[in-house]
């Protein structure tokens, strides 16, 4: 009898202590009550994790007081503090905030979930993160099917925007509207003053007629907020530019050897008689490429009254070329005002004023006789 009591008193508690506590349950969609397969289940207290099976069921190591977090793409994350180890049934609500986002579609505005056409959006946060010199650079790699190519590498050089490839009417550029006003040159815009860019790629652009055959780029500038104190945002940066990579070329000795060989094969007298004295010669890329400064500063003031809102901005941009120095450069001065006032509950007015000045100095480029052409073809001797 004493040995039996010993077994129950000692061995049974040891057996119970060796059993790991677990929490089991099922994870469901709050709207459809369908199981959520392969959802993440994490015990943050013990750093244990698992996923739900095809039926939304899970089992995870847990004890009373542990914090367990449930997450799934497209659904709101939910946490649970374990108060019992009985089976639980949890429901996750879908995240609909992204579907409620307003999209400009030419003839009106709509939410994302209502848009069936091909519309791409680039937001102000994306533009500020890229910090582009020109607005077109903010579209590079940000919108599927939109091709941005540079016409020139010199400061202030133009860029091509292609939404629907090459057109048969001789004009391949999309229609660009800034706050409803047609623009031809996006280099006149300050990227920091842009709130959003909407690109219409399909038939939704037809509201603008034949001029929208190559797509439409709708740009909205920043506005203030009603009943808010003025907010001042000042942003500046200064940098140094240089060529990241140069084309490998022959040095003077290698060049002379090949020229002598070519002349000898043609039956002519080789022009270089003392090749050993030539050395490396001159890499003309070293002579034309240099470091060049780039500077930009932006000032934005936004706010509003009880029935009005305003946004005032200005910027200065200065970029020198890495070829030619002060002989190749681009300066841009911009100023803009966006003022909206509500006359009545149903009538409002909006005034947009924009000023831009550009000074651009260029060298001969993109043809025979240009600086870079000569730098690559000039003999190193």
């Amino acid at each position: 009898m004493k040995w039996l009591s010993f077994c129950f008193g000692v061995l049974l508690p040891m057996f119970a202590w060796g059993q790991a506590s677990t929490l089991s349950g099922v994870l469901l969609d709050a709207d459809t009550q369908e199981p959520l397969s392969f959802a993440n289940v994490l015990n943050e207290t013990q750093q244990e994790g698992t996923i739900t099976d095809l039926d939304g069921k899970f089992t995870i190591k847990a004890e009373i007081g542990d914090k367990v977090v449930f997450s799934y793409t497209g659904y709101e994350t939910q946490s649970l503090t374990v108060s019992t180890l009985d089976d639980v049934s949890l429901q996750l609500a879908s995240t609909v905030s992204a579907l409620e986002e307003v999209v400009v579609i030419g003839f009106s505005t709509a939410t994302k979930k209502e848009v069936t056409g091909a519309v791409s959006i680039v937001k102000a946060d994306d533009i500020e993160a890229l910090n582009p010199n020109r607005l077109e650079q903010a579209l590079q790699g940000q919108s599927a099917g939109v091709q941005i190519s540079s016409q020139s590498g010199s400061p202030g050089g133009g860029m091509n925007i292609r939404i629907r490839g090459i057109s048969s009417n001789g004009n391949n550029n999309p229609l660009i509207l800034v706050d409803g006003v047609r623009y031809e040159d996006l280099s006149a815009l300050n990227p920091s003053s842009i709130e959003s860019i909407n690109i219409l790629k399909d038939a939704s652009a037809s509201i603008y007629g034949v001029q929208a055959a190559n797509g439409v780029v709708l740009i909205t500038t920043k506005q203030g907020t009603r009943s808010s104190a003025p907010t001042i945002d000042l942003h500046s940066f200064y940098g140094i530019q240089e060529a990241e990579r140069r084309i490998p070329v022959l040095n003077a000795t290698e060049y002379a050897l090949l020229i002598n060989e070519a002349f000898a094969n043609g039956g002519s007298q080789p022009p270089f008689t003392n090749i050993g004295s030539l050395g490396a010669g001159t890499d003309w890329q070293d002579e034309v490429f240099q470091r060049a400064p780039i500077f930009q500063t932006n000032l934005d003031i936004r706010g509003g009254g009880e029935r009005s809102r305003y946004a005032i901005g200005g910027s200065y941009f200065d970029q020198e070329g890495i070829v030619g120095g002060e002989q190749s450069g681009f300066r841009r001065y911009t100023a803009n005002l966006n003022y909206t006032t509500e006359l009545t509950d149903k009538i409002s007015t909006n005034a947009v004023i924009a000023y831009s000045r550009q000074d651009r100095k260029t060298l001969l480029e993109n043809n025979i006789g240009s600086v870079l052409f000569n730098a690559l073809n000039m003999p190193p001797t």
Side-chain angles (χ1 to χ4, degrees), residues 18 35 74 76 97 104 189 218 240 245 250 255 262 266 295 335 378 381:
E76 296 180 356
S97 57
V104 181
L189 291 175
L218 300 174
I240 298 294
R245 180 180 177 274
L250 299 175
Y255 174 79
F295 172 76
M378 184 72 68
T381 55

Side-chain angles (χ1 to χ4, degrees), residues 43-65:
N43 186 334
E44 289 189 344
T45 304
Q46 302 190 27
Q47 291 300 303
E48 293 279 347
T50 185
I51 61 173
T52 59
D53 60 16
L54 293 175
D55 298 322
K57 297 180 180 180
F58 67 91
T59 298
I60 189 172
K61 180 180 177 182
E63 297 179 357
I64 302 298

Side-chain angles (χ1 to χ4, degrees), residues 332-350:
R332 179 183 61 214
Y333 310 82
T334 67
N336 58 277
L337 169 65
N338 192 321
Y339 182 76
T340 301
T341 180
E342 296 181 1
L343 301 178
T344 66
D345 293 338
K346 296 183 178 181
I347 300 177
S348 64
T349 62
N350 176 240

Side-chain angles (χ1 to χ4, degrees), residues 158-300:
M159 306 189 76
N160 297 320
I161 304 177
R162 298 291 179 263
I163 298 178
R164 294 183 175 179
I166 304 299
S167 175
S168 60
N169 61 6
N171 181 15
N172 303 312
N173 298 320
L175 174 65
I176 300 174
L177 298 176
V178 181
D179 291 327
V181 180
R182 182 168 182 172
Y183 260 64
E184 295 291 343
D185 185 10
L186 288 182
S187 66
L189 291 175
N190 176 21
S192 66
S193 66
I194 304 304
E195 178 66 32
S196 66
I197 304 175
N198 293 263
I199 303 175
L200 310 183
K201 308 176 188 177
D202 61 1
S204 61
S206 61
I207 186 66
Y208 296 105
V210 68
Q211 58 185 350
N214 300 313
V216 180
V217 178
L218 300 174
I219 300 175
T220 304
T221 59
K222 292 181 178 179
Q223 297 184 350
T225 305
R226 288 176 50 185
S227 301
S228 64
T231 301
I232 301 176
D233 183 15
L234 177 63
H235 172 69
S236 297
F237 77 86
Y238 178 86
I240 298 294
Q241 312 162 95
E242 62 181 353
E244 181 179 359
R245 180 180 177 274
R246 301 181 185 182
I247 297 177
V249 294
L250 299 175
N251 61 32
T253 302
E254 296 167 337
Y255 174 79
L257 287 172
L258 286 178
I259 292 299
N260 280 355
E261 182 179 347
F263 272 72
N265 290 337
S268 302
Q269 182 68 27
F272 297 100
T273 58
N274 189 9
I275 295 179
S277 63
L278 295 177
T282 303
D283 184 347
W284 294 103
Q285 294 177 97
D286 295 335
E287 303 302 318
V288 299
F289 281 120
Q290 61 186 45
R291 292 186 173 184
I294 180 173
F295 172 76
Q296 180 173 346
T297 182
N298 303 310
L299 176 63
D300 295 297

